[in-house]
Amino acid sequence: MTDEHRDNLLGETLIALLKARSLSMRKLSTLSGIDTATISRIVNGKQKPKASHLERFAMHLGVPASKLLQAAGFGSMMQEEQPYTNIQATIASITEILQASKLIGHPFRLEDVEQELSKYEPYALTEEGQRIILNDFPMKLASINGAGPFIEELKRLYEQFCADEVTLEKRAIIGSALLYFVLSADVIPDYVFPIGYLDDAIAVQLVLARLYRDGAHDQPV
């Protein structure tokens, strides 16, 4: 594949994904922390993207990073991926953003997000936890006025949590992500714009990966 064709393929892929998600380059810039001009140059084949660029794009466009890496000519470096398992690459991207921004004084660790999710699982099955999710989640979602795959995944998780046929195990797992989003004790505070919701996106990915892997096997509530 020639460099010209490869750049065109990546640009066409990104344009199609942006159109399908009703996102502008400016909105993708806000979500990913990558300058709009850089995104434009990558889309138009005037700048070779870094792998970290593509990993951030993939997270916010809701596709496996391998799809964009392949389009950019990194295919020989990629291994087959399962849905929602490209988390370590995303962690590397977040760390890069945080180091550049100097907005928080501690490293981002996946273990911190996992610890919070583990804490929220049993809480999601309590009366108080369910009240917080059912009452506060819609208000928090409306307050951020966001769009994109991350928000759509949260909406789907909320619908599953509210379904009568959901199992206790699955409700606890899903509820942990919803509580992580609603409650303020994030690993990255929500006020750290524009990266404050990256850890929430990671929490959603972790929950989706677990649901995909484990299948939540107990009986319906």
Side-chain angles (χ1 to χ4, degrees), residues 178-203:
L178 298 176
L179 286 169
Y180 190 101
F181 174 71
V182 171
L183 300 176
S184 60
D186 290 351
V187 175
I188 304 175
D190 292 344
Y191 63 78
V192 182
F193 183 83
I195 60 176
Y197 289 98
L198 288 178
D199 61 320
D200 298 84
I202 287 292

PDB file of all heavy atoms in Angstrom, residues 178-203:
ATOM      1  N   LEU A 178     -22.092   3.085  36.610  1.00  0.00           N
ATOM      2  CA  LEU A 178     -23.012   4.216  36.709  1.00  0.00           C
ATOM      3  C   LEU A 178     -22.725   5.045  37.966  1.00  0.00           C
ATOM      4  O   LEU A 178     -22.752   6.281  37.922  1.00  0.00           O
ATOM      5  CB  LEU A 178     -24.454   3.706  36.717  1.00  0.00           C
ATOM      6  CG  LEU A 178     -24.884   2.946  35.456  1.00  0.00           C
ATOM      7  CD1 LEU A 178     -26.298   2.406  35.630  1.00  0.00           C
ATOM      8  CD2 LEU A 178     -24.791   3.825  34.214  1.00  0.00           C
ATOM      9  N   LEU A 179     -22.430   4.376  39.080  1.00  0.00           N
ATOM     10  CA  LEU A 179     -22.080   5.100  40.301  1.00  0.00           C
ATOM     11  C   LEU A 179     -20.755   5.835  40.147  1.00  0.00           C
ATOM     12  O   LEU A 179     -20.594   6.952  40.647  1.00  0.00           O
ATOM     13  CB  LEU A 179     -22.015   4.129  41.486  1.00  0.00           C
ATOM     14  CG  LEU A 179     -23.359   3.629  42.013  1.00  0.00           C
ATOM     15  CD1 LEU A 179     -23.155   2.485  42.999  1.00  0.00           C
ATOM     16  CD2 LEU A 179     -24.155   4.764  42.663  1.00  0.00           C
ATOM     17  N   TYR A 180     -19.812   5.207  39.454  1.00  0.00           N
ATOM     18  CA  TYR A 180     -18.520   5.870  39.212  1.00  0.00           C
ATOM     19  C   TYR A 180     -18.743   7.179  38.459  1.00  0.00           C
ATOM     20  O   TYR A 180     -18.123   8.201  38.757  1.00  0.00           O
ATOM     21  CB  TYR A 180     -17.602   4.949  38.410  1.00  0.00           C
ATOM     22  CG  TYR A 180     -16.172   5.435  38.318  1.00  0.00           C
ATOM     23  CD1 TYR A 180     -15.187   4.888  39.130  1.00  0.00           C
ATOM     24  CD2 TYR A 180     -15.802   6.444  37.435  1.00  0.00           C
ATOM     25  CE1 TYR A 180     -13.873   5.328  39.066  1.00  0.00           C
ATOM     26  CE2 TYR A 180     -14.506   6.900  37.372  1.00  0.00           C
ATOM     27  CZ  TYR A 180     -13.541   6.339  38.185  1.00  0.00           C
ATOM     28  OH  TYR A 180     -12.255   6.797  38.122  1.00  0.00           O
ATOM     29  N   PHE A 181     -19.640   7.142  37.492  1.00  0.00           N
ATOM     30  CA  PHE A 181     -19.942   8.332  36.697  1.00  0.00           C
ATOM     31  C   PHE A 181     -20.670   9.392  37.525  1.00  0.00           C
ATOM     32  O   PHE A 181     -20.362  10.585  37.429  1.00  0.00           O
ATOM     33  CB  PHE A 181     -20.794   7.929  35.493  1.00  0.00           C
ATOM     34  CG  PHE A 181     -21.293   9.084  34.670  1.00  0.00           C
ATOM     35  CD1 PHE A 181     -20.423   9.825  33.885  1.00  0.00           C
ATOM     36  CD2 PHE A 181     -22.634   9.427  34.678  1.00  0.00           C
ATOM     37  CE1 PHE A 181     -20.880  10.892  33.123  1.00  0.00           C
ATOM     38  CE2 PHE A 181     -23.104  10.486  33.918  1.00  0.00           C
ATOM     39  CZ  PHE A 181     -22.223  11.226  33.137  1.00  0.00           C
ATOM     40  N   VAL A 182     -21.607   8.969  38.364  1.00  0.00           N
ATOM     41  CA  VAL A 182     -22.442   9.912  39.100  1.00  0.00           C
ATOM     42  C   VAL A 182     -21.700  10.552  40.270  1.00  0.00           C
ATOM     43  O   VAL A 182     -21.788  11.772  40.478  1.00  0.00           O
ATOM     44  CB  VAL A 182     -23.717   9.212  39.624  1.00  0.00           C
ATOM     45  CG1 VAL A 182     -24.484  10.126  40.577  1.00  0.00           C
ATOM     46  CG2 VAL A 182     -24.609   8.791  38.461  1.00  0.00           C
ATOM     47  N   LEU A 183     -20.981   9.751  41.033  1.00  0.00           N
ATOM     48  CA  LEU A 183     -20.350  10.243  42.249  1.00  0.00           C
ATOM     49  C   LEU A 183     -19.069  11.009  41.930  1.00  0.00           C
ATOM     50  O   LEU A 183     -18.420  10.777  40.919  1.00  0.00           O
ATOM     51  CB  LEU A 183     -20.077   9.084  43.207  1.00  0.00           C
ATOM     52  CG  LEU A 183     -21.342   8.324  43.646  1.00  0.00           C
ATOM     53  CD1 LEU A 183     -20.994   7.140  44.517  1.00  0.00           C
ATOM     54  CD2 LEU A 183     -22.308   9.258  44.379  1.00  0.00           C
ATOM     55  N   SER A 184     -18.690  11.910  42.803  1.00  0.00           N
ATOM     56  CA  SER A 184     -17.635  12.886  42.494  1.00  0.00           C
ATOM     57  C   SER A 184     -16.220  12.400  42.781  1.00  0.00           C
ATOM     58  O   SER A 184     -15.256  13.052  42.391  1.00  0.00           O
ATOM     59  CB  SER A 184     -17.880  14.173  43.290  1.00  0.00           C
ATOM     60  OG  SER A 184     -17.874  13.903  44.678  1.00  0.00           O
ATOM     61  N   ALA A 185     -16.060  11.273  43.465  1.00  0.00           N
ATOM     62  CA  ALA A 185     -14.727  10.830  43.887  1.00  0.00           C
ATOM     63  C   ALA A 185     -14.009  10.101  42.753  1.00  0.00           C
ATOM     64  O   ALA A 185     -13.625   8.946  42.864  1.00  0.00           O
ATOM     65  CB  ALA A 185     -14.824   9.929  45.108  1.00  0.00           C
ATOM     66  N   ASP A 186     -13.807  10.787  41.618  1.00  0.00           N
ATOM     67  CA  ASP A 186     -13.148  10.186  40.468  1.00  0.00           C
ATOM     68  C   ASP A 186     -11.642  10.168  40.654  1.00  0.00           C
ATOM     69  O   ASP A 186     -11.069  10.971  41.387  1.00  0.00           O
ATOM     70  CB  ASP A 186     -13.462  10.974  39.191  1.00  0.00           C
ATOM     71  CG  ASP A 186     -14.912  10.812  38.743  1.00  0.00           C
ATOM     72  OD1 ASP A 186     -15.599   9.967  39.331  1.00  0.00           O
ATOM     73  OD2 ASP A 186     -15.316  11.527  37.826  1.00  0.00           O
ATOM     74  N   VAL A 187     -10.981   9.259  39.943  1.00  0.00           N
ATOM     75  CA  VAL A 187      -9.522   9.243  39.910  1.00  0.00           C
ATOM     76  C   VAL A 187      -9.012  10.515  39.239  1.00  0.00           C
ATOM     77  O   VAL A 187      -8.026  11.117  39.662  1.00  0.00           O
ATOM     78  CB  VAL A 187      -9.019   7.987  39.167  1.00  0.00           C
ATOM     79  CG1 VAL A 187      -7.505   8.030  39.030  1.00  0.00           C
ATOM     80  CG2 VAL A 187      -9.455   6.730  39.914  1.00  0.00           C
ATOM     81  N   ILE A 188      -9.703  10.938  38.167  1.00  0.00           N
ATOM     82  CA  ILE A 188      -9.451  12.241  37.541  1.00  0.00           C
ATOM     83  C   ILE A 188     -10.696  13.088  37.799  1.00  0.00           C
ATOM     84  O   ILE A 188     -11.770  12.747  37.314  1.00  0.00           O
ATOM     85  CB  ILE A 188      -9.217  12.121  36.024  1.00  0.00           C
ATOM     86  CG1 ILE A 188      -8.074  11.154  35.715  1.00  0.00           C
ATOM     87  CG2 ILE A 188      -8.898  13.503  35.432  1.00  0.00           C
ATOM     88  CD1 ILE A 188      -7.875  10.902  34.235  1.00  0.00           C
ATOM     89  N   PRO A 189     -10.596  14.185  38.539  1.00  0.00           N
ATOM     90  CA  PRO A 189     -11.784  14.988  38.831  1.00  0.00           C
ATOM     91  C   PRO A 189     -12.468  15.476  37.552  1.00  0.00           C
ATOM     92  O   PRO A 189     -11.803  15.848  36.588  1.00  0.00           O
ATOM     93  CB  PRO A 189     -11.213  16.171  39.637  1.00  0.00           C
ATOM     94  CG  PRO A 189      -9.925  15.670  40.203  1.00  0.00           C
ATOM     95  CD  PRO A 189      -9.386  14.714  39.173  1.00  0.00           C
ATOM     96  N   ASP A 190     -13.799  15.490  37.556  1.00  0.00           N
ATOM     97  CA  ASP A 190     -14.554  15.883  36.365  1.00  0.00           C
ATOM     98  C   ASP A 190     -14.280  17.316  35.946  1.00  0.00           C
ATOM     99  O   ASP A 190     -14.425  17.658  34.770  1.00  0.00           O
ATOM    100  CB  ASP A 190     -16.057  15.713  36.617  1.00  0.00           C
ATOM    101  CG  ASP A 190     -16.458  14.253  36.748  1.00  0.00           C
ATOM    102  OD1 ASP A 190     -15.664  13.380  36.346  1.00  0.00           O
ATOM    103  OD2 ASP A 190     -17.561  13.982  37.258  1.00  0.00           O
ATOM    104  N   TYR A 191     -13.881  18.178  36.888  1.00  0.00           N
ATOM    105  CA  TYR A 191     -13.665  19.581  36.547  1.00  0.00           C
ATOM    106  C   TYR A 191     -12.372  19.803  35.758  1.00  0.00           C
ATOM    107  O   TYR A 191     -12.143  20.904  35.251  1.00  0.00           O
ATOM    108  CB  TYR A 191     -13.651  20.454  37.808  1.00  0.00           C
ATOM    109  CG  TYR A 191     -12.540  20.144  38.786  1.00  0.00           C
ATOM    110  CD1 TYR A 191     -11.237  20.577  38.574  1.00  0.00           C
ATOM    111  CD2 TYR A 191     -12.803  19.400  39.930  1.00  0.00           C
ATOM    112  CE1 TYR A 191     -10.228  20.281  39.472  1.00  0.00           C
ATOM    113  CE2 TYR A 191     -11.796  19.099  40.836  1.00  0.00           C
ATOM    114  CZ  TYR A 191     -10.518  19.539  40.602  1.00  0.00           C
ATOM    115  OH  TYR A 191      -9.519  19.241  41.488  1.00  0.00           O
ATOM    116  N   VAL A 192     -11.512  18.780  35.645  1.00  0.00           N
ATOM    117  CA  VAL A 192     -10.262  18.930  34.892  1.00  0.00           C
ATOM    118  C   VAL A 192     -10.587  18.825  33.406  1.00  0.00           C
ATOM    119  O   VAL A 192     -10.518  17.757  32.805  1.00  0.00           O
ATOM    120  CB  VAL A 192      -9.223  17.869  35.304  1.00  0.00           C
ATOM    121  CG1 VAL A 192      -7.916  18.088  34.542  1.00  0.00           C
ATOM    122  CG2 VAL A 192      -8.971  17.928  36.796  1.00  0.00           C
ATOM    123  N   PHE A 193     -10.994  19.930  32.812  1.00  0.00           N
ATOM    124  CA  PHE A 193     -11.435  19.958  31.418  1.00  0.00           C
ATOM    125  C   PHE A 193     -10.209  19.993  30.500  1.00  0.00           C
ATOM    126  O   PHE A 193      -9.241  20.685  30.780  1.00  0.00           O
ATOM    127  CB  PHE A 193     -12.297  21.204  31.185  1.00  0.00           C
ATOM    128  CG  PHE A 193     -12.872  21.297  29.802  1.00  0.00           C
ATOM    129  CD1 PHE A 193     -14.037  20.620  29.494  1.00  0.00           C
ATOM    130  CD2 PHE A 193     -12.231  22.032  28.833  1.00  0.00           C
ATOM    131  CE1 PHE A 193     -14.571  20.693  28.221  1.00  0.00           C
ATOM    132  CE2 PHE A 193     -12.755  22.096  27.562  1.00  0.00           C
ATOM    133  CZ  PHE A 193     -13.917  21.441  27.253  1.00  0.00           C
ATOM    134  N   PRO A 194     -10.204  19.243  29.358  1.00  0.00           N
ATOM    135  CA  PRO A 194     -11.305  18.413  28.850  1.00  0.00           C
ATOM    136  C   PRO A 194     -11.137  16.935  29.158  1.00  0.00           C
ATOM    137  O   PRO A 194     -11.764  16.113  28.532  1.00  0.00           O
ATOM    138  CB  PRO A 194     -11.171  18.647  27.336  1.00  0.00           C
ATOM    139  CG  PRO A 194      -9.685  18.721  27.128  1.00  0.00           C
ATOM    140  CD  PRO A 194      -9.116  19.393  28.359  1.00  0.00           C
ATOM    141  N   ILE A 195     -10.249  16.601  30.118  1.00  0.00           N
ATOM    142  CA  ILE A 195      -9.917  15.199  30.323  1.00  0.00           C
ATOM    143  C   ILE A 195     -10.604  14.590  31.536  1.00  0.00           C
ATOM    144  O   ILE A 195     -10.350  13.443  31.891  1.00  0.00           O
ATOM    145  CB  ILE A 195      -8.384  15.026  30.466  1.00  0.00           C
ATOM    146  CG1 ILE A 195      -7.873  15.826  31.670  1.00  0.00           C
ATOM    147  CG2 ILE A 195      -7.674  15.445  29.195  1.00  0.00           C
ATOM    148  CD1 ILE A 195      -6.398  15.639  31.940  1.00  0.00           C
ATOM    149  N   GLY A 196     -11.491  15.347  32.185  1.00  0.00           N
ATOM    150  CA  GLY A 196     -12.066  14.900  33.444  1.00  0.00           C
ATOM    151  C   GLY A 196     -12.907  13.651  33.358  1.00  0.00           C
ATOM    152  O   GLY A 196     -13.127  12.985  34.370  1.00  0.00           O
ATOM    153  N   TYR A 197     -13.398  13.312  32.168  1.00  0.00           N
ATOM    154  CA  TYR A 197     -14.246  12.133  32.026  1.00  0.00           C
ATOM    155  C   TYR A 197     -13.511  10.951  31.385  1.00  0.00           C
ATOM    156  O   TYR A 197     -14.132   9.944  31.079  1.00  0.00           O
ATOM    157  CB  TYR A 197     -15.501  12.478  31.220  1.00  0.00           C
ATOM    158  CG  TYR A 197     -16.459  13.355  31.995  1.00  0.00           C
ATOM    159  CD1 TYR A 197     -16.473  14.726  31.814  1.00  0.00           C
ATOM    160  CD2 TYR A 197     -17.308  12.807  32.965  1.00  0.00           C
ATOM    161  CE1 TYR A 197     -17.322  15.538  32.551  1.00  0.00           C
ATOM    162  CE2 TYR A 197     -18.163  13.608  33.707  1.00  0.00           C
ATOM    163  CZ  TYR A 197     -18.169  14.983  33.494  1.00  0.00           C
ATOM    164  OH  TYR A 197     -19.003  15.782  34.244  1.00  0.00           O
ATOM    165  N   LEU A 198     -12.201  11.066  31.201  1.00  0.00           N
ATOM    166  CA  LEU A 198     -11.458   9.952  30.607  1.00  0.00           C
ATOM    167  C   LEU A 198     -11.472   8.733  31.512  1.00  0.00           C
ATOM    168  O   LEU A 198     -11.570   7.602  31.044  1.00  0.00           O
ATOM    169  CB  LEU A 198     -10.017  10.373  30.307  1.00  0.00           C
ATOM    170  CG  LEU A 198      -9.832  11.340  29.131  1.00  0.00           C
ATOM    171  CD1 LEU A 198      -8.370  11.704  28.968  1.00  0.00           C
ATOM    172  CD2 LEU A 198     -10.371  10.735  27.839  1.00  0.00           C
ATOM    173  N   ASP A 199     -11.353   8.951  32.832  1.00  0.00           N
ATOM    174  CA  ASP A 199     -11.373   7.796  33.724  1.00  0.00           C
ATOM    175  C   ASP A 199     -12.768   7.184  33.780  1.00  0.00           C
ATOM    176  O   ASP A 199     -12.914   5.974  33.956  1.00  0.00           O
ATOM    177  CB  ASP A 199     -10.873   8.161  35.122  1.00  0.00           C
ATOM    178  CG  ASP A 199     -11.720   9.224  35.798  1.00  0.00           C
ATOM    179  OD1 ASP A 199     -12.135  10.174  35.105  1.00  0.00           O
ATOM    180  OD2 ASP A 199     -11.964   9.128  37.010  1.00  0.00           O
ATOM    181  N   ASP A 200     -13.812   8.010  33.605  1.00  0.00           N
ATOM    182  CA  ASP A 200     -15.168   7.461  33.527  1.00  0.00           C
ATOM    183  C   ASP A 200     -15.302   6.568  32.292  1.00  0.00           C
ATOM    184  O   ASP A 200     -15.941   5.514  32.342  1.00  0.00           O
ATOM    185  CB  ASP A 200     -16.196   8.600  33.453  1.00  0.00           C
ATOM    186  CG  ASP A 200     -16.159   9.487  34.687  1.00  0.00           C
ATOM    187  OD1 ASP A 200     -15.322  10.408  34.728  1.00  0.00           O
ATOM    188  OD2 ASP A 200     -16.955   9.246  35.607  1.00  0.00           O
ATOM    189  N   ALA A 201     -14.685   7.010  31.176  1.00  0.00           N
ATOM    190  CA  ALA A 201     -14.715   6.203  29.959  1.00  0.00           C
ATOM    191  C   ALA A 201     -13.970   4.885  30.159  1.00  0.00           C
ATOM    192  O   ALA A 201     -14.403   3.833  29.685  1.00  0.00           O
ATOM    193  CB  ALA A 201     -14.102   6.981  28.786  1.00  0.00           C
ATOM    194  N   ILE A 202     -12.853   4.937  30.891  1.00  0.00           N
ATOM    195  CA  ILE A 202     -12.114   3.720  31.206  1.00  0.00           C
ATOM    196  C   ILE A 202     -12.961   2.801  32.074  1.00  0.00           C
ATOM    197  O   ILE A 202     -13.005   1.576  31.868  1.00  0.00           O
ATOM    198  CB  ILE A 202     -10.796   4.058  31.925  1.00  0.00           C
ATOM    199  CG1 ILE A 202      -9.797   4.650  30.939  1.00  0.00           C
ATOM    200  CG2 ILE A 202     -10.200   2.822  32.591  1.00  0.00           C
ATOM    201  CD1 ILE A 202      -9.298   3.671  29.900  1.00  0.00           C
ATOM    202  N   ALA A 203     -13.670   3.371  33.059  1.00  0.00           N
ATOM    203  CA  ALA A 203     -14.538   2.560  33.923  1.00  0.00           C
ATOM    204  C   ALA A 203     -15.600   1.845  33.091  1.00  0.00           C
ATOM    205  O   ALA A 203     -15.881   0.658  33.310  1.00  0.00           O
ATOM    206  CB  ALA A 203     -15.194   3.444  34.983  1.00  0.00           C
TER     207      ALA A 203
END
